[in-house]
Amino acid sequence: MIKDSVFAALELAELRRAERRRFLKMAGASTAAIGGLSLLAACGDDNDDLIPNPTPSPTPTPTPGVTVTDGDILNLALNLEYLEAQFYSFAAFGTGLPESSLTGSVGTRGAVTGGRKVPFTDPLVAAYAREIAADEIAHVNFLRTAIGSTAVAQPAINIDGGANGAFTAAARAAKLVGATENFDPYLNDNTFLLSAFLFEDVGVTAYKGAAPLLSSATFLEAAAGILAAEAYHAGLVRTVIYAKGLDASTGLRQGANAISDARDSLDGTTGAQADLDQGVTGSDASISNIVPADGNAIAYSRTTQQVHNIVYLRTTAGVGGGFFPNGTNNAVAALRTSGAF
């Protein structure tokens, strides 16, 4: 039954792609127009397996001796997608990613610690969790296919809420729980939403930060498409937290704002950039802040190093910790600590 739920999520993602192709054909879109709208449609064919796989080209890097390719950038994104997909898959369906989605040719395949199905009481939150899970599973499979033979394997992932769990460490850093208390992301709807909030904004800012570094127009289009999907997810999670937070007893708004402050403290930025992150309310708690952006309503970016700091739950130099106990898998070992892109 659990396995069927995962396959149903994969079928849902496939159905969405098929519907988009049918819409484009019915609209009489030309091959060139289709190519501009979707990486998958750019194949000019109904076979989803024929995804263009251009040779990654080098991207300028500020670190001498380290050459970063488009493939390396997408592999970092794949690490993050493994994390999100595992969390949402367990929360929505009670099981992790299918075995075929985990092994790559680069890096050591790692296990997942923690994860179980959330006993949702709000049917809307449950439906949202299933939809996001299907999207994240599809992102993993898409990126693995697009990157090709150099796609990294899933690294070791910690999505546990126990005493040694990454969620507990993050919640303690945000002061959602005491120094000796645990935080269970799978306990109920509210703990799930706060845990989802922790991930979603990081994904959006990571993709935006990486986009200017991609030299392939095909890869850039793909990254922009995933960024848009992640932004929809983030906006949805923030909206639900804000709405449910109208009942002050839930503590959801305060919890999300505390997580935002914790991300700021972890990402390593200082000076004018030290307070980039934003909670779900403005300075006045009655004012919603569903879209975290600057004065021009433009979402902000994070560097690779800032992203690693947050998911490692550390501000000191080093590899691994938090949600990636042994670090992320990267084709170029120097990328683990260089912050090259």
Side-chain angles (χ1 to χ4, degrees):
M1 188 69 178
I2 290 174
K3 184 180 293 184
D4 290 343
S5 297
V6 176
F7 287 135
L10 293 171
E11 290 172 3
L12 176 59
E14 167 61 25
L15 178 61
R16 287 176 180 165
R17 290 195 290 269
E19 289 296 332
R20 284 195 292 269
R21 287 197 302 275
R22 280 196 289 273
F23 172 79
L24 290 170
K25 287 182 178 180
M26 291 174 63
S30 66
T31 301
I34 294 174
L37 289 170
S38 167
L39 176 62
L40 292 176
C43 301
D45 190 294
D46 276 350
N47 188 343
D48 282 339
D49 292 330
L50 300 179
I51 299 175
N53 189 22
T55 302
S57 54
T59 303
T61 170
T63 304
V66 178
T67 299
V68 181
T69 69
D70 285 357
D72 295 326
I73 295 170
L74 292 187
N75 264 322
L76 174 61
L78 178 57
N79 279 279
L80 299 178
E81 295 294 350
Y82 280 133
L83 174 61
E84 288 188 301
Q86 291 288 15
F87 167 66
Y88 283 113
S89 183
F90 271 109
F93 309 123
T95 189
L97 287 171
E99 185 69 20
S100 60
S101 299
L102 303 178
T103 304
S105 61
V106 178
T108 301
R109 157 78 179 278
V112 177
T113 302
R116 72 176 190 277
K117 189 172 183 178
V118 176
F120 293 107
T121 56
D122 186 331
L124 285 178
V125 176
Y128 296 153
R130 291 191 295 269
E131 180 178 2
I132 296 175
D135 289 344
E136 300 299 355
I137 293 171
H139 286 170
V140 167
N141 292 328
F142 171 79
L143 283 173
R144 285 169 54 87
T145 303
I147 296 168
S149 62
T150 59
V152 297
Q154 175 191 274
I157 288 176
N158 184 324
I159 50 172
D160 193 27
N164 297 316
F167 278 111
T168 290
R172 289 175 181 174
K175 294 183 173 55
L176 296 183
V177 296
T180 60
E181 296 178 303
N182 298 338
F183 179 84
D184 184 355
Y186 313 101
L187 180 64
N188 54 42
D189 298 52
N190 289 352
T191 62
F192 164 78
L193 286 168
L194 289 175
S195 302
F197 176 76
L198 173 63
F199 286 149
E200 288 302 338
D201 283 354
V202 177
V204 173
T205 56
Y207 273 103
K208 183 171 181 291
L213 303 174
L214 291 166
S215 57
S216 163
T218 301
F219 281 160
L220 177 59
E221 181 187 23
I226 298 177
L227 168 59
E230 297 292 349
Y232 278 123
H233 297 165
L236 172 63
V237 170
R238 295 174 75 95
T239 299
V240 175
I241 287 176
Y242 184 84
K244 284 182 171 290
L246 288 171
D247 178 358
S249 66
T250 66
L252 275 173
R253 291 185 185 180
Q254 297 90 328
N257 291 347
I259 290 172
S260 171
D261 290 340
R263 285 192 302 234
D264 260 334
S265 69
L266 286 167
D267 66 16
T269 53
T270 58
Q273 301 296 308
D275 190 19
L276 287 176
D277 212 296
Q278 298 172 24
V280 298
T281 63
S283 55
D284 182 337
S286 66
I287 299 176
S288 66
N289 188 47
I290 304 305
V291 181
D294 64 17
N296 295 313
I298 297 174
Y300 57 94
S301 304
R302 280 192 172 96
T303 67
T304 300
Q305 193 62 58
Q306 290 171 329
V307 171
H308 276 113
N309 285 352
I310 293 172
V311 296
Y312 288 170
L313 300 177
R314 62 189 299 166
T315 57
T316 57
V319 178
F323 296 98
F324 293 103
N326 301 325
T328 54
N329 278 338
N330 293 294
V332 180
L335 297 181
R336 288 172 173 255
T337 56
S338 67
F341 64 89

